[in-house]
Structures are given as structure tokens and as C-alpha cells.
Amino acid sequence: MNHEEILQNLADSVISGDEEKAKDFAKKALEAGIDPLTAINEGLMRGMSQVGDDFSKLKIYLPEVMMAAEAMKAALSILEPAALQKGTGTLKKSKVVIGTITGDIHDIGKNIVAMLLRANGFEVYDLGRDVPIDDLIKKAEEVGADIIAASTLLSTSMPYMEDLISLLKERGLRDKYIVMVGGGPVTREWAASIGADGYGDDGEEAVKVAKELLQRVKGK
Ligand code: B12
């Protein structure tokens, strides 16, 4: 089986919500020497993007989306250790507190961002999903974080990102942290408009922007 066929099977496993197939083809991808990030971006994400389209066109419903999410997570559990092994590990001293913000339980994208940050040597504190902004700030204070990163896929949760920045200002902590935001409905323009320091379209851009900001703002 060639690389493209393996990637297509990974996409199909997400579309059909088949956890076993997803795990099986994640293993096959690694055995075939496919880069774990390629397997994620060109296999799993391709499938999830199709699921998103079908869901918005009402061709499928929530239970199918949930099954797709489980299949994606199953494959990620196999690809993540491989991605971490390939990581550069040069930024160990930089700490990131990350979470999906209040009201939102979508965490696949946030998990990918967290994974790629880890693979690039960041020390990541992942608070999970539906995380109150106060918890993000408390954790950042507790661990001495450099970056607070917030994710959301729901437009109804976007205002909490703005609240996060306001609360940091209120507490006199705004200059202490780099704030990054991202997720489906979040745009570069909107991120700038609320005064966030950084935005990323995807996990790879998130890492690139985090590194640039660390160097520019914190000299790390
Ligand atoms: C899978 C999914 C679910 C799963 C989530 C499982 C899970 N554990 O995450 C389940 C079934 C649970 C679900 C539930 C719901 N969902 Co849903 N879901 C999706 C779907 C199909 C895919 C999302 C996904 O995982 N994408 C793959 C990941 C890898 O991509 P990503 O999240 O965008 O992340 C990348 C980038 O955005 C970026 N990024 C992400 N976070 C961050 C953070 C930072 C700091 C940076 C820099 C970058 C960054 O990097 C990531 C990796 O490359 C989308 C459709 C879509 N087109 O997105 C709908 C979608 C997000 N869901 C939607 C809705 C409405 C819901 C529900 C409210 C439905 C309901 N009626 O109950 C509930 C949410 C309940 C709640 N309180 O949260 C809407 C949101 C509309 C909106 N804009 O507000 C969408 C867009 C579907 C639609 N077209 O209507 N959903």
C-alpha cells in the first residue's frame, strides 16, 4: 500500500468513525515511514474536514461527529508519541498553559497544538476543556508560564478570550504573559482586535508564532 492510500484510509477511518481502523492505519503510517505530522494533517484532518462539511450540510448528525472525534483521538494516541520522539526539545525552559475556554468542549485542535508545542520542547500545562479564564491565569501564575494559549471552536465562547485579556489587565498581569488564541471561528484580525499577542491558523503556525513571540517579547 502506498503512502497516499494509507493517508486516504486514515481520512476514511475518521469519516466512518472507525476507531480500530484509525489505530490500525496510524500504525501502518508509522511503519511505512510517514511523518506523524503528515499523517495528522493529510490523513486525519482531511477526514475531519469532510465530517465538518457534512455536518454543516446536515448530511450527518452529532452522533456521527462524536464517533469521528473518537476515531481521530484513537489515531492521535498512536501518532503523538512518535511526533514527540521526533521533537527538537530545544525550548525546555518555556512554559505554556493551554486550554479550551469556558463553554466549549471541543478539544481535538487544542490537543494537537499542545502536542506540537511539546514536540518542539515547550513545557505544556494542558488544563483540558471548558476551562474558566481564572483557572488559566492561576495556573500560569503557579508554574511561572511564559504563554497562555486559549482555544475555541464556538463563536459563543469567543468573548471569554477577550475577558481573559481584560482580567489579566485588571490584575496588573497583562505584560507578564504572551497571550495566544486560536480555533475555528477565531481569525487573525479578531485576535488583533482583542489585543492578543499571537494567533495561529493551525498547530504548526501556533508553534512558529510562539517561538517568534518568545524571542521578540521575552528574549528566549
Ligand atoms: C468534532 C466536532 C465536535 C465534537 C468535538 C469532540 C472533541 N472532543 O473535540 C463533538 C461531537 C463533541 C461536538 C460538539 C458540538 N459541536 Co462541534 N464540531 C466538530 C467539528 C466537526 C470538527 C472540529 C475539529 O475537531 N476539527 C479538527 C481540529 C484539528 O481542527 P481545529 O479545532 O480547528 O484546530 C486547529 C486550528 O483551529 C488551530 N487551533 C485550535 N486551537 C488553537 C489554539 C491556539 C492558541 C492556536 C494558536 C491555534 C489553535 O490548530 C488546530 C490544529 O491544527 C466542527 C466542524 C468544523 N468545521 O470545525 C464542529 C463545530 C465546531 N461544532 C459546532 C457546534 C455548534 C457544536 C455543538 C454546540 C453542537 C450541539 N448542538 O450540541 C457541540 C458543542 C457543545 C459545547 N458546549 O462545546 C459548530 C460551531 C459553530 C460555531 N462557530 O460556533 C461547528 C463549526 C459545526 C457547524 N458547522 O455547525 N463537535
Side-chain angles (χ1 to χ4, degrees):
M1 195 174 279
N2 67 31
H3 284 193
E4 177 48 36
E5 282 166 336
I6 295 175
L7 295 173
Q8 189 55 49
N9 270 288
L10 273 175
D12 290 344
S13 70
V14 172
I15 294 167
S16 58
D18 186 338
E19 276 185 59
E20 286 313 312
K21 182 173 175 178
K23 282 196 273 191
D24 193 26
F25 277 92
K27 285 180 199 144
K28 284 198 168 76
L30 296 178
E31 281 158 17
I34 296 177
D35 186 284
L37 291 186
T38 306
I40 293 169
N41 290 330
E42 290 169 36
L44 300 176
M45 299 272 278
R46 201 198 294 174
M48 191 51 97
S49 159
Q50 175 74 50
V51 169
D53 282 356
D54 288 350
F55 184 55
S56 54
K57 289 180 188 142
L58 302 177
K59 284 191 195 162
I60 57 168
Y61 297 94
L62 216 47
E64 283 107 314
V65 183
M66 287 167 85
M67 285 169 68
E70 290 309 317
M72 179 139 179
K73 286 190 166 186
L76 283 174
S77 72
I78 287 165
L79 296 172
E80 175 162 2
L84 288 178
Q85 248 177 23
K86 289 195 67 176
T88 54
T90 52
L91 283 165
K92 263 286 174 252
K93 284 193 195 95
S94 303
K95 297 179 183 174
V96 183
V97 169
I98 191 167
T100 302
I101 214 149
T102 308
D104 188 354
I105 62 161
H106 294 90
D107 64 356
I108 296 174
K110 181 267 297 167
N111 291 346
I112 291 177
V113 173
M115 176 190 85
L116 291 182
L117 286 168
R118 276 195 195 102
N120 279 275
F122 287 83
E123 201 172 308
V124 178
Y125 297 83
D126 184 349
L127 303 192
R129 49 197 189 171
D130 191 11
V131 180
I133 52 178
D134 194 36
D135 289 6
L136 287 171
I137 298 176
K138 278 194 183 131
K139 193 69 184 177
E141 286 286 281
E142 180 195 320
V143 302
D146 301 286
I147 300 178
I148 300 178
S151 171
T152 191
L153 282 243
L154 292 183
S155 26
T156 45
S157 285
M158 284 167 73
Y160 296 113
M161 292 179 159
E162 202 169 355
D163 292 350
L164 168 67
I165 290 172
S166 303
L167 194 57
L168 281 170
K169 282 186 188 152
E170 228 172 78
R171 295 185 183 168
L173 298 171
R174 179 63 190 96
D175 294 339
K176 205 168 161 187
Y177 300 108
I178 291 167
V179 177
M180 291 183 61
V181 294
V186 178
T187 62
R188 204 173 302 281
E189 293 70 30
W190 184 80
S193 79
I194 63 163
D197 301 297
Y199 161 85
D201 243 348
D202 56 28
E204 282 169 83
E205 192 184 1
V207 172
K208 188 169 149 262
V209 170
K211 285 182 177 172
E212 282 168 7
L213 285 167
L214 271 171
Q215 203 167 35
R216 183 149 49 86
V217 182
K218 304 220 166 193
K220 282 196 178 180

